[in-house]
Amino acid sequence: MPLRQSRNGTDTKAAFMHWLYLYAAILFELSGTSCMKLSEGFQKPLPSIGIFIFYISSVLCLTLAVKVVDISIAYAIWSGVGIAVIATIGILFFGEPFTLRRFLFLTLIVVGVVGLNLSSGR
């Protein structure tokens, strides 16, 4: 049974795999950024090592994702979701303040990422 082809000629199964790479890149980036906070300025060795491991893993996965996903879409999703989720982690776990302004601007980031994704026509 032949694989279905997407609009850009990539089979659907492979395209799905590249979206999984993008989601993995986001999770690694979130882990690396969280380790940044936990390392206390590279004073704690394990989180300090985690920063490099997670960021290298994130860039590797992002590189694999952009083989199929448009780079403008992949990067917007990677950075936008990363910003929104890490801000939420900061509020929930690191005691950062939750303000109406912060919520408003994070919402604008999410709206921008969704709008860019919808404008791709795919």
Side-chain angles (χ1 to χ4, degrees), residues 10 62 65 96:
T10 306
L62 184 60
E96 295 178 2

Side-chain angles (χ1 to χ4, degrees), residues 13-96:
K13 202 178 213 180
F16 177 76
M17 192 66 202
H18 287 84
W19 282 99
L20 286 179
Y21 288 138
L22 179 58
Y23 295 128
I26 293 167
L27 291 175
F28 285 130
E29 189 266 336
L30 293 170
S31 299
T33 305
S34 296
C35 282
M36 218 182 273
K37 180 71 172 178
L38 295 171
S39 76
E40 296 180 8
F42 294 110
Q43 297 301 308
K44 294 187 176 180
L46 195 56
S48 297
I49 293 167
I51 293 169
F52 296 101
I53 291 171
F54 289 127
Y55 270 113
I56 289 168
S57 300
S58 179
V59 171
L60 287 172
C61 288
L62 184 60
T63 302
L64 292 172
V66 299
K67 285 175 69 176
V68 172
V69 180
D70 291 346
I71 191 146
S72 60
I73 302 301
Y75 193 78
I77 292 170
W78 181 76
S79 60
V81 170
I83 290 167
V85 174
I86 211 64
T88 304
I89 289 170
I91 291 165
L92 295 176
F93 297 103
F94 297 123
E96 295 178 2

